[in-house]
Amino acid sequence: MTTQTIDVPSGVAPGVAQNNLFFAWFAGSLASCGAVTFTNPVEVVKTRLQLQGELAKATPGVERAYHNVAQAFWAIGKNEGLWGLQKGLGPGYMYQIMLNGTRLGFYEPVKNALYTGATGSTSRGQAPIMALNVAAGGLCGVAGAALGSPFFLVKTRMQSASKFAAVGHQHNYT
C-alpha cells in the first residue's frame, strides 16, 4: 500500500478545497446569521425608537411608548415576549445570506476571473493589483446589496410592527 502526500496551504484543513465556491458562500452566510441572531433584538429596539422619533417630528404631542433603549427592551419583552424582540429574524437571516454570502463567497472567484482576464492567470502567486481587487470587491458588494435589499425591507417592516405600541403604518407579515 502506498501513501500519497498532498500539499495543503497553511491554515487550510486537508480535504477542504480553498477555492470551493459553496464552502466560501456557506461559511460567510453561517457566520453572518450567527451574528444577526444576537444583534436582532438591538435592531428591533433601534427601529422602533427611530420610527417613534420620526412620528414625533411629524405629529407633535403624540405619546411616546418608548423613552430610552433600556425601557424599550423592557417594554417590548414584557408586552411581546422574546419573539417580539426577535421580530424579523427570518428575513434577517435571508438578508445576511444574500448580502454576506454573496460578498464573501464570490469575492475570490470574481477576483480570479478578473485576474485571468487581465493577466492570463489567476491571482495566486501574483503581486496584488489593487484595481482588480477593488473591482472584485465592488462587484460582489453590489450583487450582495441587490440580492439582500428586498429582505432588508421586509425585515424592517416586521421589526416595526407592534400591537402593543403601533408606531406609524403597520405592515403585517406572517
Side-chain angles (χ1 to χ4, degrees), residues 47-70:
T47 299
R48 302 253 183 113
L49 286 168
Q50 283 177 326
L51 289 173
Q52 179 177 267
E54 290 298 315
L55 183 63
K57 283 182 198 174
T59 52
V62 173
E63 185 177 334
R64 298 183 130 205
Y66 310 114
H67 302 291
N68 57 49
V69 173

Side-chain angles (χ1 to χ4, degrees), residues 11-49:
V12 176
V16 176
Q18 188 174 14
N19 286 327
N20 185 328
L21 179 64
F22 177 74
F23 178 77
W25 175 83
F26 181 75
S29 298
L30 184 64
S32 58
C33 285
V36 82
T37 302
F38 295 101
T39 60
N40 196 62
V42 176
E43 211 169 331
V44 169
V45 169
K46 174 197 70 123
T47 299
R48 302 253 183 113
L49 286 168

Side-chain angles (χ1 to χ4, degrees), residues 107 114 129-140:
Y107 174 75
L114 291 175
I129 301 172
M130 182 66 76
L132 295 178
N133 294 344
V134 170
L139 288 170
C140 292

Side-chain angles (χ1 to χ4, degrees), residues 92-170:
Y93 284 150
M94 289 304 298
Y95 170 66
Q96 292 299 326
I97 289 168
M98 292 296 141
L99 178 73
N100 291 316
T102 301
R103 289 188 322 177
L104 300 174
F106 292 115
Y107 174 75
E108 282 295 324
V110 168
K111 181 176 86 169
N112 284 330
L114 291 175
Y115 269 80
T116 301
T119 67
S121 64
T122 65
S123 62
R124 257 200 182 153
Q126 288 194 39
I129 301 172
M130 182 66 76
L132 295 178
N133 294 344
V134 170
L139 288 170
C140 292
V142 167
L147 291 171
S149 183
F151 295 104
F152 185 80
L153 174 67
V154 172
K155 173 186 71 96
T156 303
R157 286 181 172 181
M158 288 179 77
Q159 289 174 335
S160 66
S162 171
K163 291 179 181 165
F164 146 71
V167 178
H169 180 75
Q170 300 288 300

